[in-house]
Amino acid sequence: TKNVLYLGQQEMDALQIQDYIQQEMAQHWSPPAGMRNDISCVVKISVAFDGTISNLEIDQSSGVMLFDDAAKRASWKLTP
């Protein structure tokens, strides 16, 4: 049918890694006190072959430096 999507092993691996990172980020995330609930940012994380984080950067800023810095700190605590 036209609603079926076939994925290769690489896509499945990438989806599993993304899911794991999102779950772990939820454990480490602690937004700064007093922040609105509608603020968000996008963190771009590069993972080395050995599983360590080799680089991360704010890909899309929230516009609030304190919030973005908290997201970066939480991201460095990840253990993909």
Side-chain angles (χ1 to χ4, degrees):
T1 68
K2 59 183 171 182
N3 292 332
V4 174
L5 177 64
Y6 294 97
L7 299 175
Q9 188 62 48
Q10 287 180 321
E11 290 88 359
M12 287 299 297
D13 291 346
L15 287 172
Q16 288 175 334
I17 291 168
Q18 181 180 355
D19 183 54
Y20 176 80
I21 288 173
Q22 288 175 332
Q23 288 178 23
E24 193 166 323
M25 185 67 168
Q27 293 176 3
H28 295 292
W29 175 239
S30 178
M35 287 287 141
R36 297 185 332 249
N37 290 337
D38 63 343
I39 296 176
S40 66
C41 68
V42 176
V43 181
K44 183 178 180 180
I45 301 171
S46 300
V47 180
F49 284 108
D50 66 357
T52 60
I53 295 175
S54 59
N55 188 40
L56 64 87
E57 59 189 55
I58 300 295
D59 196 47
Q60 183 178 356
S61 175
S62 66
V64 180
M65 190 154 118
L66 189 62
F67 186 89
D68 292 353
D69 287 344
K72 286 172 73 173
R73 279 192 307 278
S75 298
W76 279 117
K77 294 177 182 178
L78 300 175
T79 56

